[in-house]
Amino acid sequence: MTAGALDVALEYVRLGLRFDRVEAGFVDAYTGNPRIRAQVLDEPAPTPRQLRDRARELLRELDAAGLPGDRAAFLHGQLTGLECSARKLSGEPVGFVEEVRAYFQVDVELGDEATYAAAHAELDRLLPGDGTLADRYAAHRRREECPPDRLEPAVQALSSALRDRVRGQYGLPDVETVRYEVVTDKPWSGFNYYEGGYRSRVAINADLPHRLSQLAHLVAHESYPGHHTEHCRKEQGLVARSGHLEHTVFLVNTPECLMAEGLADLGVPAAIGEGWGAWSEEILGDLGLRFDGALAERIAVVAAPLNRVRQDAAVLLHDRGADADEVAAYLQRWALVSPERARQQIRFLTDPLWRAYISTYVEGYDLLTRWLDARPAEQPVAGRFARLLDEPLTPQRIAAEIPAA
């Protein structure tokens, strides 16, 4: 590593830590030298304009740092996202579409309502009976709800089973652990707090109903082979073996977030694949928790296009001038969610720190699904997915590896 490379990586880490002093929660995880963080905390609090100027300086210095192409591309994307965040924090007007592009290297637009209508028609066939589709879909979801007092043992059982599979498929440090806790009053359903040293704390929001058919996805997303697994593999490889300091800090509203959320949402396909419904049904059935795994798997495929409705809601709110009532009605109509769930989603979409973050799930899942599907015929899913866990890939790099249609 050249002195220039070390300097840019270290200064990027310092800059990321400084953002947390202006916007609490901006640093999602830090596993580097505690003295670096202590030094940043001892500095005078920065202004957003100072953060913006430093991000621009580091972008200029990056070309002369002598970094390999993949590291330079990673840092360029991260610093571009930070520069945009600093502009927003300083009060500069930034359009929502521009914000998403700067943070996550993707362009967003409204989805096709005809596609949503087609998904509704398929759901209508899968959920026969009286009443509207929204009523029948809501009733189906209620039937699948996990009793609150059974949530923790259900999560633990699925986590143990997924951990065994991921250890066999991808490998994990022997000392890695995940600790689960149930929390309330949060705008999300689950959250991974990576503590370093191959340890995670995963919080599950008890305010939201958790469906039995979705618990495997939640655990896979947060732990195995999702966020916890990615953090462990990169701490062990990119940081410990290769000395890439930039991966000791994980910052929100940067391209690495889209990569992380996309790979986490692909956790069940990557760890289990087809038949995940029956697999999950059997594990939870041993706890006396029953649901129809085959039906859940069919519904998940049919309803997948409706995930994009959440991003539409953000575009309508922040780019098209719609008010909260209009957006709530849109979510209820096309995503088939309850008024309460729609309001919970709007709470997330209007949080100052998280308002653009929905695109990491929608665009991340879509981009990485297409990339996995475009793998060479002889390459298994696990071989392709392992690259997401180990390499400093960016959305731009992923898009470039997908053959043109």
Side-chain angles (χ1 to χ4, degrees), residues 25-26 28 96 99-100 103-104 106 108 188 190-192 221-222 227 230-231 250-262 264-265 310-311 314 318 348-364:
F26 203 94
D28 180 81
F96 181 74
E99 182 182 356
V100 171
Y103 292 166
F104 308 126
V106 293
V108 298
W188 34 256
F191 203 99
N192 176 288
H221 183 106
E222 304 297 345
H227 294 323
E230 182 192 9
H231 281 305
F250 190 95
L251 306 171
V252 303
N253 293 334
T254 59
E256 69 181 343
C257 297
L258 184 138
M259 298 298 301
E261 301 299 354
D265 270 351
R310 301 172 297 166
Q311 180 170 269
H318 304 304
F348 184 74
L349 297 176
T350 53
D351 185 287
L353 182 61
W354 299 106
R355 76 169 200 164
Y357 204 81
I358 193 65
S359 294
T360 66
Y361 303 106
V362 175
E363 301 296 341

Side-chain angles (χ1 to χ4, degrees), residues 343-375:
R343 291 295 175 181
Q344 178 78 7
Q345 290 180 353
I346 290 172
R347 178 186 174 192
F348 184 74
L349 297 176
T350 53
D351 185 287
L353 182 61
W354 299 106
R355 76 169 200 164
Y357 204 81
I358 193 65
S359 294
T360 66
Y361 303 106
V362 175
E363 301 296 341
Y365 179 83
D366 178 71
L367 178 68
L368 296 187
T369 296
R370 289 187 288 116
W371 179 77
L372 279 181
D373 290 345
R375 68 188 183 277

Side-chain angles (χ1 to χ4, degrees), residues 255-329:
E256 69 181 343
C257 297
L258 184 138
M259 298 298 301
E261 301 299 354
L263 80 85
D265 270 351
L266 284 166
V268 164
I272 305 168
E274 290 186 11
W276 64 260
W279 178 87
S280 182
E281 180 184 1
E282 181 179 357
I283 290 170
L284 294 178
D286 289 342
L287 302 177
L289 299 168
R290 311 292 178 189
F291 75 101
D292 187 333
L295 177 61
E297 200 164 344
R298 291 197 298 273
I299 287 176
V301 172
V302 168
L306 303 183
N307 289 330
R308 186 164 288 272
V309 176
R310 301 172 297 166
Q311 180 170 269
D312 290 351
V315 173
L316 292 170
L317 273 171
H318 304 304
D319 196 58
R320 304 297 176 91
D323 62 30
D325 290 338
E326 292 173 304
V327 173

Side-chain angles (χ1 to χ4, degrees), residues 19-58:
F19 267 83
D20 210 48
R21 300 198 61 192
V22 175
E23 181 73 62
F26 203 94
V27 172
D28 180 81
Y30 178 65
T31 62
N33 189 330
R35 285 179 294 182
I36 297 174
R37 185 171 228 168
Q39 289 166 358
V40 169
L41 291 174
D42 283 341
E43 298 171 350
T47 67
R49 289 185 182 277
Q50 288 172 328
L51 296 176
R52 179 202 64 188
D53 292 345
R54 187 59 178 142
R56 290 174 177 176
E57 288 171 0
L58 289 175

Side-chain angles (χ1 to χ4, degrees), residues 145-220:
E145 284 182 13
C146 180
D149 62 336
R150 308 300 305 282
L151 180 59
E152 190 164 355
V155 165
Q156 293 286 0
L158 289 165
S159 181
S160 177
L162 281 166
R163 183 176 189 250
D164 289 343
R165 293 181 75 97
V166 169
R167 279 184 169 274
Q169 292 169 317
Y170 301 104
L172 283 166
D174 291 339
V175 296
E176 61 81 25
T177 57
V178 176
R179 172 168 54 92
Y180 295 92
E181 63 181 18
V182 177
V183 300
T184 58
D185 194 30
K186 300 294 181 183
W188 34 256
S189 58
F191 203 99
N192 176 288
Y193 297 92
Y194 189 66
E195 298 173 340
Y198 314 122
R199 301 183 310 275
S200 284
R201 173 171 59 90
V202 171
I204 309 293
N205 186 4
D207 286 343
L208 300 177
H210 290 276
R211 292 181 291 129
L212 295 171
S213 66
Q214 290 302 301
L215 283 179
H217 293 273
L218 178 63
V219 174

